[in-house]
Amino acid sequence: MTKSDEVQELISSNNDLRKKLNPANEKYYSNLLIYVRTAGLFYDDYEVENKLLEILQDIIDAQNDGSNAEDYFGQAPTEIANQLTASFTKISLRDRLKFLGGLFSITAIWTLIIQLNGQEQQLNLVPFILNGIFMTFLIFAAFWFIHQTIYAKIFEHKAVSFASAWIVSFLTVLIFTVIQFTKPVMFNIPITNNLIIIINGLVIIGSVAALFLVKAKWRPVMIAAGPMIWIITLSNIFKVCLPSSMKKSILMITAILSVFSIIWFFGYFWWNNRKHQ
């Protein structure tokens, strides 16, 4: 069993044991869990999840003795959490670079698919770099924001949470859209129709293979994103292979299927999350 599998087992045990908590203790622990998990991206996952499971077991024991989590750990859980995170081991520089390289690889594949979906038979290097930088910034910013606001009273209001989520989503889409159109001519690389077919074909083969080869914790991501990848890549191939008179039909079908793939993306994550609660 790999260390990644052991981490998944700890998370699974955590999810099962949390069902034993009463509502007040569940809320207390859930906030503490999110606060600890979002403290940083480079802590050792096994150490983090093992400590969270220990805390959960302590709360369950206290609950069985008639105490609640707030009585047991105090009204300032952030103090405990900060002490914990200060003692956590950070992953090696090599693992950090692998993580960042993975982010850039994911954004590079998406950028490639999007650029090949356009009418221009060329690639531009600038969006590849900017998308990678922005995605990295976005993930770190999301962790920081959640970590800083998990105990903020204002975000307990659904209207505030919804509005903030909508604003962040809108700005994210806007920035990503602007990046796709940032294409200085000097960084253009011309490509042929045959190369477009080969690249998209390799992306399809790679994404299908990834469903079976990736680690278990990443498989839900591939299952959710797979249809979007396949729809766009097949559209790219069809636009090159089929007569130009059919391009409008291809675009229309692609747009309709893309909407369904987005629904599938969020729907699958919602279903998968409910299944593991």
Side-chain angles (χ1 to χ4, degrees), residues 8 102-103 106-107 110 135 139 207 210-212 214-230 261 264-266 268-273 276:
Q8 290 304 307
L103 285 182
I106 292 171
T107 58
W110 274 112
M135 177 61 75
I139 290 176
S207 61
L211 288 172
F212 304 96
V214 296
K215 295 180 179 179
K217 67 177 181 179
W218 293 109
R219 192 163 292 123
V221 177
M222 291 305 305
I223 294 174
M228 280 192 283
I229 296 173
W230 302 327
S261 71
W264 163 261
F265 182 85
F266 290 105
Y268 178 79
F269 272 121
W270 176 84
W271 173 81
N272 190 63
N273 182 61
H276 289 92

Side-chain angles (χ1 to χ4, degrees), residues 18 23 83 114 163 187 243 245:
R18 281 167 61 191
Q83 291 174 5
I114 291 171
F187 294 102
S245 59

Side-chain angles (χ1 to χ4, degrees), residues 20-74:
K20 297 182 179 181
L21 296 175
N22 61 41
N25 286 344
E26 205 284 329
K27 181 179 180 182
Y28 183 98
Y29 179 74
S30 292
N31 287 342
L32 179 62
L33 178 144
I34 294 171
Y35 187 84
V36 171
R37 283 181 177 172
T38 57
L41 284 166
F42 296 138
Y43 291 121
D44 183 275
D45 286 341
Y46 181 84
E47 191 174 345
V48 171
E49 295 303 329
N50 194 50
K51 184 58 68 175
L52 285 170
L53 189 58
E54 286 181 13
I55 294 173
L56 176 56
Q57 289 170 334
D58 287 342
I59 292 177
I60 291 174
D61 290 340
Q63 180 177 284
N64 291 337
D65 292 336
S67 301
N68 59 39
E70 195 170 275
D71 293 334
Y72 190 81
F73 285 104

Side-chain angles (χ1 to χ4, degrees), residues 136-188:
T136 303
F137 166 79
L138 186 65
I139 290 176
F140 276 89
F143 268 64
W144 177 86
F145 182 78
I146 294 171
H147 184 73
Q148 297 297 324
T149 59
I150 186 64
Y151 288 107
K153 297 294 184 181
I154 188 172
F155 287 98
E156 292 182 359
H157 299 284
K158 291 184 178 180
V160 175
S161 297
F162 177 81
S164 58
W166 188 90
I167 292 171
V168 170
S169 300
F170 173 78
L171 290 175
T172 300
V173 172
L174 178 63
I175 294 172
F176 266 121
T177 302
V178 170
I179 288 175
Q180 309 322 311
F181 290 96
T182 306
K183 299 179 180 179
V185 178
M186 66 180 72
F187 294 102
N188 283 341

Side-chain angles (χ1 to χ4, degrees), residues 222-274:
M222 291 305 305
I223 294 174
M228 280 192 283
I229 296 173
W230 302 327
I231 289 168
I232 297 175
T233 49
L234 287 173
S235 172
N236 295 343
I237 294 173
F238 289 147
K239 281 192 294 185
V240 170
C241 296
L242 298 179
S244 56
S245 59
M246 296 186 64
K247 284 187 176 180
K248 287 185 178 180
S249 299
I250 294 172
L251 287 173
M252 185 178 297
I253 294 172
T254 301
I256 294 171
L257 292 178
S258 294
V259 171
F260 284 106
S261 71
I262 292 172
I263 295 172
W264 163 261
F265 182 85
F266 290 105
Y268 178 79
F269 272 121
W270 176 84
W271 173 81
N272 190 63
N273 182 61
R274 289 290 299 271

